[in-house]
């Protein structure tokens, strides 16, 4: 809990269970199934099944078939964090990820918020730079197209002037042409 709070404070849901003893396997599997039966919008993104170290007898609940099946059938990704680095249980094989310690599971589950902020700032700078380059590119294209349009407009204006001139000459020549024909 402390490790997650230090790295990236987030909402945690704790389902307390016995982690050794006669009822522990049933309690652990009930907790896993219980999380999976929550409405989707209330389900956690990941389940960390954790317990500190101990003797093989202390960790035996995590080798029980009912617990292994609950982990295997979980629709929520699971991280097994039972014992310490040298301890292995059957749920380590059924889980989506095995962490060597409960603290390591917390580190796997949540990022460091400072790293996220740094990465987001890098992305924001990249996006800003790329948008700036894109705007410059399209401004250059727009300027180039504007020059082409000005040349076209100049050609059109010259042709309109020439058409007007020919029109006036035709109108002026029409009476003379009629007199000649008469």
């Amino acid at each position: 809990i402390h490790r997650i709070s230090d790295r990236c404070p987030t909402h945690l849901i704790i389902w307390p269970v016995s982690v050794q003893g006669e009822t522990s396997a049933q309690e652990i599997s009930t907790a896993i199934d219980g999380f999976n039966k929550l409405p989707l919008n209330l389900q956690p993104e990941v389940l960390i099944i954790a317990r500190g170290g101990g003797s093989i007898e202390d960790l035996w609940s995590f080798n029980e078939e009912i617990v292994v099946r609950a982990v295997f059938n979980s629709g929520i990704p699971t991280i097994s964090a039972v014992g310490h680095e040298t301890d292995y249980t059957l749920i380590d094989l059924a889980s989506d990820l095995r962490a060597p310690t409960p603290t390591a599971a917390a580190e796997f589950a949540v990022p460091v918020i400072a790293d996220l902020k740094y990465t987001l700032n890098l992305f924001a700078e990249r996006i800003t730079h790329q948008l700036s380059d894109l705007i410059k590119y399209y401004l250059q294209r727009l300027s180039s197209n504007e020059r082409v349009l000005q040349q076209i407009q100049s050609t059109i204006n010259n042709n309109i002037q020439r058409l007007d001139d020919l029109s006036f000459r035709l109108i002026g020549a029409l009476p003379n042409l009629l007199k000649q024909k008469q």
Side-chain angles (χ1 to χ4, degrees), residues 63-138:
N63 289 320
E64 295 288 340
E65 181 179 355
I66 190 170
V67 177
V68 176
R69 285 188 183 277
V71 169
F72 179 80
N73 292 324
S74 176
I76 303 169
T78 57
I79 300 175
S80 170
V82 176
H84 291 289
E85 294 182 30
T86 58
D87 298 320
Y88 279 89
T89 62
L90 291 178
I91 70 162
D92 293 336
L93 303 173
S95 293
D96 296 294
L97 181 66
R98 178 196 180 270
T101 63
T103 301
E107 292 173 356
F108 291 157
V110 295
V112 177
I113 194 126
D115 292 346
L116 285 177
K117 287 179 180 178
Y118 177 77
T119 302
L120 285 175
N121 284 335
L122 283 179
F123 286 148
E125 288 175 14
R126 247 161 117 191
I127 288 171
T128 302
H129 181 70
Q130 288 181 345
L131 280 175
S132 176
D133 287 349
L134 196 60
I135 289 170
K136 286 177 187 175
Y137 168 75
Y138 281 111

Side-chain angles (χ1 to χ4, degrees), residues 142-161:
L142 187 61
S143 177
S144 174
N145 289 341
E146 189 177 31
R147 282 193 297 275
V148 169
L149 286 174
Q150 286 174 350
Q151 290 172 350
I152 292 171
Q153 183 66 41
S154 177
T155 303
I156 289 171
N157 286 343
N158 288 341
N159 287 334
I160 288 173
Q161 188 173 2

